Amino acid sequence: MGIRASTPPYGPAPLPAPARDRAPTVLLLVVALIVALGAGAGVYAFLNGSDGDDLANDPKQPSPTASADPGGSGTPSGDATPAEGTPSGDEDDDADEGEGDTVPAAFLGTWTTTIGTADERRLVLRQGEVGDTVLSLTATGPIQGSASAYRCVFQAELTEVPNSRGPVRVGPSRVVVGEPMTSCSSGEATTLTLHGDGRLTRVNDATGESLTYTKAG
């Protein structure tokens, strides 16, 4: 009789468990990774998307107040309006005489005047077509009843083709710089006329008030 092998004390050794199918787990990991990447891209797009452009194009921007007349009454108070105006940002002294001859050459250049003893007006006329900004005005002076000073810059556009000797008509002025803005306000349409002595007068078309300038330089 042959010798029988002894049976293990706890019965036959268990068979090794079949390896689980790992494909579903790998697939779930891939899907989770794609979802995470998609969420991250969405947050980035939200933070860096077109919000800046939308804000830049937001029409709700501060706008100038009231209106300034050409003659002006002199010194503005805290909430008053300085003399009229129409100017370009920080105006250039040189008129663009080479861009055309719509505005008569005699009008082009820088003109100055004073109101009282402290308020100054600096007007610049440049070449341009109808609809272009051709007139700019910088108004400066002390604020009445205050130790502070104001500085207002205005702009206005040419409204019609003038005759060879004028007058030159410009539309209502708009404030482009207001320091402080409470002392600066937009103005009415005005008409500019040259005199035989070389001076220039600007008249408010609505009120008839006027201010006369002499050419700088």
Side-chain angles (χ1 to χ4, degrees):
M1 174 182 296
I3 298 174
R4 300 178 60 185
S6 59
T7 301
Y10 302 105
L15 295 175
R20 291 186 178 183
D21 185 0
R22 291 183 173 81
T25 302
V26 174
L27 180 59
L28 288 175
L29 289 175
V30 171
V31 171
L33 179 60
I34 292 174
V35 171
L37 291 175
V43 172
Y44 181 84
F46 176 79
L47 295 178
N48 298 277
S50 60
D51 288 6
D53 293 338
D54 292 343
L55 183 60
N57 294 326
D58 188 347
K60 298 177 182 178
Q61 300 296 327
S63 57
T65 57
S67 91
D69 57 78
S73 55
T75 308
S77 61
D79 296 322
T81 298
E84 83 160 14
T86 19
S88 72
D90 276 319
E91 67 294 335
D92 297 328
D93 292 341
D94 298 328
D96 301 325
E97 299 185 25
E99 295 184 2
D101 57 359
T102 303
V103 179
F107 285 82
L108 303 177
T110 301
W111 304 80
T112 61
T113 191
T114 58
I115 300 175
T117 59
D119 296 80
E120 298 181 352
R121 302 294 181 265
R122 185 168 178 271
L123 184 153
V124 177
L125 277 171
R126 50 178 56 81
Q127 193 58 263
E129 304 297 328
V130 173
D132 293 340
T133 297
V134 297
L135 184 148
S136 64
L137 175 75
T138 299
T140 57
I143 297 177
Q144 190 173 30
S146 169
S148 301
Y150 68 87
R151 178 175 179 272
C152 307
V153 181
F154 307 86
Q155 290 183 341
E157 300 171 352
L158 185 67
T159 57
E160 62 181 64
V161 177
N163 296 324
S164 60
R165 296 184 179 180
V168 173
R169 291 185 171 84
V170 296
S173 63
R174 59 188 178 278
V175 179
V176 295
V177 175
E179 300 171 353
M181 185 60 79
T182 53
S183 290
C184 310
S185 57
S186 55
E188 307 289 346
T190 56
T191 299
L192 295 93
T193 305
L194 275 180
H195 301 285
D197 60 4
R199 295 182 303 162
L200 178 146
T201 295
R202 186 178 180 208
V203 179
N204 185 312
D205 293 344
T207 66
E209 293 180 283
S210 66
L211 197 60
T212 298
Y213 296 77
T214 57
K215 200 159 192 177

